[in-house]
Amino acid sequence: MISIAIIIPAYNEELTIREVMQDFHNHCPEAAIYVIDNNSSDKTAEIARKTYEDLGCSGALLQEKRKGKAMAVKKAFREVDADVYVMVDADLTYPAADLHRLLEPVLRGDADMVCGDRHDAGIYSRENKRPMHNTGNKAVRMLINKLFQGNLHDILTGYRVFSKRFVKNFPILSTGFELETEISIHALDNGYSIVEVPTNYMDRPEGSVSKLSTVSDGVKVIKTIFSVLMNHRPLFFFSIISAILLILAILAGLPAVLDYFRYEYVFHLPLAVLSMGLFTVSALALTIAFILHGLRTSQRYDHVLSLMHWDERHLKHEKH
């Protein structure tokens, strides 16, 4: 019997948490439901406990005092043991009616991660009332697909299904709503099998307030991308820095070179010193690029090797 765990991180979702739990229990009664209360200040935890009693479903209410969606999901991934994991938001934006279609590729062994695609047929842009979020979604999607040779339509979806293999080999490093970006990049960069399934999406019900902030969360996502670039594409990242510094060094040093050829004397001495400094830093950046690229290649090799050993250990465990 394949065990399914539904992970629902929740922060101040007293208006929607009961309906979300009921919806997923009705459509997948065999699944264990885990609500992770992320230090809510409202009645989210109290309502969740009462809903567990009323539904009689398996699972548990987990408490995570450290704020941030990623912290809540990290706790669930660490403490919950299942064959398949479902991650879904607690704000009633993702319907449980689509769950079985998302589960199928993982249950068949065709995917390590299934993403609920909100952009199919323009559903997200139609339902979402924040135009800047639509623009931000498109920008992040284009950048990540370009950098990691992907073809994902919904990089930031909060409705996903994972294999145990993926969950237990994914070190979550972010803390908040950068989580979805980190998951997508980790899957693309390490060659996990990804399937996207169109899913419906509904904007939050009236009275439910989004925790997202267009500006602050946008900055967090951009910071995550830069962080991932340094860690996953260091040759690309530091080579660009090196090239920029080299161009600046040439521009700064040009007047000094022209002085020498014209007058056999350098009048722009400060620019000459600046140019040499920029040349030195440019060379250092390029050296760092090659060193980190070698280290990253070694890390990817180790990750693939660890997945092979994990598969072997998992098969032995199943036989016993």
Side-chain angles (χ1 to χ4, degrees), residues 43-59:
K43 297 180 180 179
T44 296
E46 180 183 333
I47 294 172
R49 289 192 188 95
K50 183 66 167 60
T51 306
Y52 276 114
E53 295 175 4
D54 294 342
L55 295 178
C57 60
S58 58

Side-chain angles (χ1 to χ4, degrees), residues 174-246:
S174 58
T175 58
F177 282 95
E178 316 96 301
L179 174 66
E180 284 82 3
T181 307
E182 184 184 10
I183 292 174
S184 298
I185 291 174
H186 178 78
L188 287 169
D189 194 42
N190 289 291
Y192 285 97
S193 177
I194 307 170
V195 171
E196 287 189 299
V197 174
T199 184
N200 287 308
Y201 177 85
M202 300 161 289
D203 203 15
R204 281 174 168 268
E206 187 176 350
S208 177
V209 180
S210 174
K211 308 341 178 266
L212 294 175
S213 168
T214 300
V215 176
S216 63
D217 287 312
V219 169
K220 288 178 183 177
V221 169
I222 291 172
K223 284 172 62 180
T224 300
I225 290 173
F226 274 99
S227 175
V228 169
L229 274 175
M230 286 191 291
N231 292 318
H232 296 268
R233 292 290 184 271
L235 185 61
F236 174 81
F237 184 79
F238 287 100
S239 292
I240 288 179
I241 293 176
S242 177
I244 292 172
L245 291 171
L246 180 61

Side-chain angles (χ1 to χ4, degrees), residues 226-288:
F226 274 99
S227 175
V228 169
L229 274 175
M230 286 191 291
N231 292 318
H232 296 268
R233 292 290 184 271
L235 185 61
F236 174 81
F237 184 79
F238 287 100
S239 292
I240 288 179
I241 293 176
S242 177
I244 292 172
L245 291 171
L246 180 61
I247 292 171
L248 292 175
I250 293 171
L251 292 175
L254 194 58
V257 173
L258 293 176
D259 282 349
Y260 181 79
F261 280 108
R262 287 176 182 173
Y263 314 111
E264 295 186 356
Y265 187 84
V266 177
F267 291 99
H268 295 84
L269 187 59
L271 286 178
V273 174
L274 175 62
S275 176
M276 289 305 299
L278 290 171
F279 266 119
T280 302
V281 178
S282 174
L284 285 173
L286 191 60
T287 303
I288 291 171

Side-chain angles (χ1 to χ4, degrees), residues 3-58:
S3 57
I4 301 172
I6 299 176
I7 308 300
I8 309 176
Y11 172 65
N12 289 347
E13 299 289 2
E14 64 180 7
L15 294 179
T16 56
I17 188 62
R18 181 179 180 84
E19 194 169 345
V20 171
M21 293 173 69
Q22 287 177 328
D23 195 20
F24 278 88
H25 179 65
N26 290 339
H27 283 87
C28 193
E30 69 274 20
I33 297 176
Y34 293 89
V35 174
I36 303 88
D37 177 37
N38 197 202
N39 204 24
S40 298
S41 58
D42 64 2
K43 297 180 180 179
T44 296
E46 180 183 333
I47 294 172
R49 289 192 188 95
K50 183 66 167 60
T51 306
Y52 276 114
E53 295 175 4
D54 294 342
L55 295 178
C57 60
S58 58

